[in-house]
Amino acid sequence: MRCSFGLAALAALASSTYGRVYYEETFSDPASLDTFIATEARSDLGAIKLSKGKWFSDDENSIGLQVSEDARFYAYSAKLNRPFNTKGKDFIVQFTVKYEQDIDCGGAYLKLLPPTLDPAKFDGESEYEVMFGPDICGSTNRRVHAIINYNGTNNQIDKVVQPRGDQLTHQYTFWVKPDKTFEIRIDNKVQEEGKIEEFWKVLPEKQVADPDAKKPEEWVDGPAMIEDPEDEKPEDWVDGPETVPDTEAQKPEDWDDDMDGDWEAPVVANPEYKGEWKPRMIKNPEYQGEWSAPLIDNPNYEDDEDLAVFNIGYIGLDVWTVKSGTIFDNILITDDIDYASQFGNSTWADYVEKEIEVKKAIDEEEAEKLEAERK
């Protein structure tokens, strides 16, 4: 999105009032697209372009990077203003995504890459520090990726954060804090938060089952329910027979005992039959549940101060999309959440209501055209 004085003023303040900004791109400069270098690792890349889309909230503020060709891979990278080692700092990556094309299958996430990246060789196998953003394919395969690299292994967040799949612009924020906690926000609303080690299984468990513990011999782990030994069958309980001769049946007049044999009345269900009696079930007073070994401190557990420390030098766009049209915008990497919030307000939040109004008007116009065509 394109902002004039307001964003310029923010940028000036960032160098004095706020923390550092390591990357900031609103695509306000036509030359901004040139900073995204296409990989040479494959020749079938889709083209990217600057576009405000087929509809937009503001003629100047809505310009972003758009993936412009159907059924293509995209692999582009851009260098940060300065490398960012996040040790002891807040780390925030934030950007907006507009699935203008009514997405059916396509990713809109970004990769944060190490300073050692060779842009010409960037591809899906390239090492990255963080991968964050929405990915949608069909009605059920939807999530916001939040993958962190730890000791050379990529680890996805355990919880599924649902992305926004409509055609409006939405803002995605991933904030990792120095105390190894995090927040994932969509449109300034927290979707998940907590401790890194509780949402990403990268460290051994703090506690484990005691391998030396043994189940006590007197432990009763079943059954949970038993027959009530004090329950007795009622005296009037009829548990047989299930059928009885039909007392209302009569031997047919033309029945010949010599020819047809002895006549027997047909049987019917015994109206007094109640089935096999069984005592009622009660909880087993001796049942202790399934036995499990007590937990002890894991001797292999060791806290790691560098659990959520990243070394970032590039930002990468490495996605596949079936239907083109996705617009990326307002990309920010900083160590100051207050600046990220103000940046988001000036580039996205201030235009939300206008965008909703524009989209509603377009939808109503299209509905009227369809109705006219039916008549």
Side-chain angles (χ1 to χ4, degrees):
M1 290 185 179
R2 181 176 298 202
C3 291
S4 53
F5 176 75
L7 192 56
L10 267 180
L13 282 172
S15 62
S16 56
T17 307
Y18 298 101
R20 279 194 163 184
V21 173
Y22 297 86
Y23 186 84
E24 181 178 305
E25 186 56 77
T26 61
F27 299 101
S28 59
D29 184 347
S32 59
L33 202 64
D34 297 336
T35 64
F36 279 78
I37 307 302
T39 183
E40 297 176 11
R42 59 188 308 154
S43 59
D44 57 345
L45 291 183
I48 57 175
K49 66 179 183 179
L50 295 181
S51 175
K52 55 195 172 187
K54 296 178 181 178
W55 54 271
F56 44 87
S57 60
D58 182 87
D59 190 63
E60 294 185 355
N61 191 67
S62 299
I63 297 175
L65 183 157
Q66 185 178 56
V67 295
S68 64
E69 294 183 84
D70 294 345
R72 289 296 186 94
F73 286 98
Y74 294 83
Y76 295 81
S77 60
K79 194 172 185 178
L80 269 59
N81 301 336
R82 58 174 65 86
F84 183 12
N85 185 290
T86 67
K87 188 176 180 65
K89 301 175 183 177
D90 288 279
F91 156 65
I92 301 99
V93 55
Q94 179 175 281
F95 59 99
T96 60
V97 172
K98 178 183 177 184
Y99 279 125
E100 181 183 71
Q101 71 276 43
D102 192 13
I103 190 68
D104 50 2
C105 189
Y109 44 82
L110 296 176
K111 289 183 175 180
L112 305 184
L113 308 153
T116 55
L117 174 78
D118 181 351
K121 298 179 180 179
F122 176 48
D123 62 15
E125 300 301 317
S126 297
E127 178 184 355
Y128 61 86
E129 298 285 279
V130 175
M131 185 174 116
F132 174 67
D135 194 6
I136 294 176
C137 199
S139 60
T140 57
N141 191 7
R142 295 168 172 242
R143 74 177 303 153
V144 175
H145 290 296
I147 301 175
I148 63 175
N149 185 290
Y150 180 70
N151 288 341
T153 300
N154 298 327
N155 303 273
Q156 177 76 271
I157 187 172
D158 278 351
K159 299 295 182 68
V160 175
V161 177
Q162 289 295 329
R164 304 298 180 259
D166 57 41
Q167 294 174 276
L168 299 173
T169 301
H170 294 282
Q171 180 176 268
Y172 292 83
T173 307
F174 187 23
W175 176 17
V176 178
K177 308 173 188 180
D179 62 359
K180 295 180 289 185
T181 61
F182 78 99
E183 290 184 16
I184 291 177
R185 301 178 183 179
I186 301 178
D187 298 343
N188 289 333
K189 296 179 180 178
V190 175
Q191 307 298 305
E192 286 290 354
E193 61 181 332
K195 296 180 178 179
I196 293 288
E197 65 179 293
E198 294 178 358
F199 284 76
W200 285 265
K201 301 302 182 184
V202 293
L203 296 178
E205 297 289 344
K206 287 186 176 181
Q207 291 192 313
V208 294
D210 184 352
D212 296 326
K214 296 182 179 180
K215 183 173 71 172
E217 293 182 2
E218 68 275 9
W219 188 276
V220 178
D221 54 9
M225 302 292 290
I226 59 173
E227 294 181 349
D228 185 353
E230 299 181 359
D231 193 19
E232 296 181 355
K233 183 172 72 172
E235 293 182 0
D236 59 351
W237 187 275
V238 177
D239 54 8
E242 294 186 35
T243 59
V244 294
D246 185 355
T247 57
E248 297 181 1
Q250 296 181 358
K251 183 171 70 172
E253 294 181 359
D254 59 351
W255 187 273
D256 187 327
D257 290 340
D258 294 332
M259 296 291 294
D260 300 322
D262 293 335
W263 180 83
E264 294 181 357
V267 296
V268 294
N270 184 353
E272 297 180 358
Y273 176 69
K274 297 183 180 180
E276 181 185 358
W277 181 84
K278 294 181 179 180
R280 64 174 173 267
M281 302 297 290
I282 61 171
K283 291 182 179 179
N284 184 352
E286 298 181 355
Y287 177 67
Q288 296 175 272
E290 182 180 355
W291 182 84
S292 58
L295 296 177
I296 60 172
D297 290 340
N298 185 356
N300 296 319
Y301 175 81
E302 184 177 350
D303 192 14
D304 187 351
E305 291 301 317
D306 293 336
L307 171 61
V309 173
F310 311 112
N311 194 27
I312 305 165
Y314 289 82
I315 187 166
L317 175 65
D318 175 34
V319 298
W320 157 266
T321 188
V322 173
K323 191 189 300 182
S324 62
T326 305
I327 297 176
F328 296 79
D329 204 355
N330 308 315
I331 305 172
L332 176 70
I333 298 176
T334 181
D335 58 16
D336 193 301
I337 190 62
D338 291 331
Y339 180 73
S341 297
Q342 294 212 27
F343 177 82
N345 289 338
S346 65
T347 58
W348 169 77
D350 290 350
Y351 297 89
V352 169
E353 293 302 322
K354 178 62 176 178
E355 185 180 56
I356 292 174
E357 292 175 6
V358 171
K359 183 65 171 68
K360 182 179 179 182
I362 289 175
D363 289 345
E364 290 176 350
E365 182 179 350
E366 291 180 352
E368 290 174 0
K369 288 181 179 179
L370 289 174
E371 183 63 25
E373 292 173 359
R374 294 193 191 101
K375 295 180 179 178

